Amino acid sequence: MKYRLREVMDALEYEELLKMKQDLESGGFHLKRFLGEKLREQEKTHLEQCSNCHADLQPSSTNNLTLVFGPDDFRKKASFCGFDCLEYFLKELKEIKRR
């Protein structure tokens, strides 16, 4: 389940919010480290299904391909089970860009 930052902030207790505020006021080192670790975890993992045909991806397969695209401030990640699905995705993406 995905959550928005606002939803997460609403779910935090007062003490946790105070800790975050104090960390940010002192340079935010703990928050930066925590966020960096979470980003590295996300970048290492493949999506569980092919973005094109929705086949289950095997984590140990060498056929899996992951495409990271988009502007620096809004990156997207799509994983594919093979070159044919990646080629189809790129073809459709080009069509969308032409419109």
Side-chain angles (χ1 to χ4, degrees), residues 44-57:
K44 285 182 181 179
T45 60
H46 281 287
L47 296 175
E48 294 179 1
Q49 291 183 330
C50 176
S51 295
N52 188 49
C53 70
H54 304 289
D56 289 336
L57 295 177

Side-chain angles (χ1 to χ4, degrees), residues 54-97:
H54 304 289
D56 289 336
L57 295 177
Q58 302 301 320
S60 60
S61 175
T62 58
N63 292 329
N64 294 343
L65 302 164
T66 300
L67 177 66
V68 179
F69 59 99
D72 286 340
D73 59 342
F74 190 67
R75 290 279 185 207
K76 291 283 191 175
K77 184 190 232 184
S79 293
F80 304 95
C81 60
F83 283 107
D84 55 340
C85 285
L86 174 61
E87 287 173 352
Y88 182 82
F89 179 83
L90 290 173
K91 184 181 113 187
E92 292 299 310
L93 192 59
K94 285 179 186 177
E95 283 296 317
I96 291 170
K97 290 283 187 183

Side-chain angles (χ1 to χ4, degrees), residues 18-32:
L18 280 178
K19 286 179 188 177
M20 285 179 64
K21 182 180 182 221
Q22 290 169 349
D23 185 45
L24 288 171
E25 289 172 348
S26 66
F29 300 110
H30 297 291
L31 194 55
K32 284 180 189 177

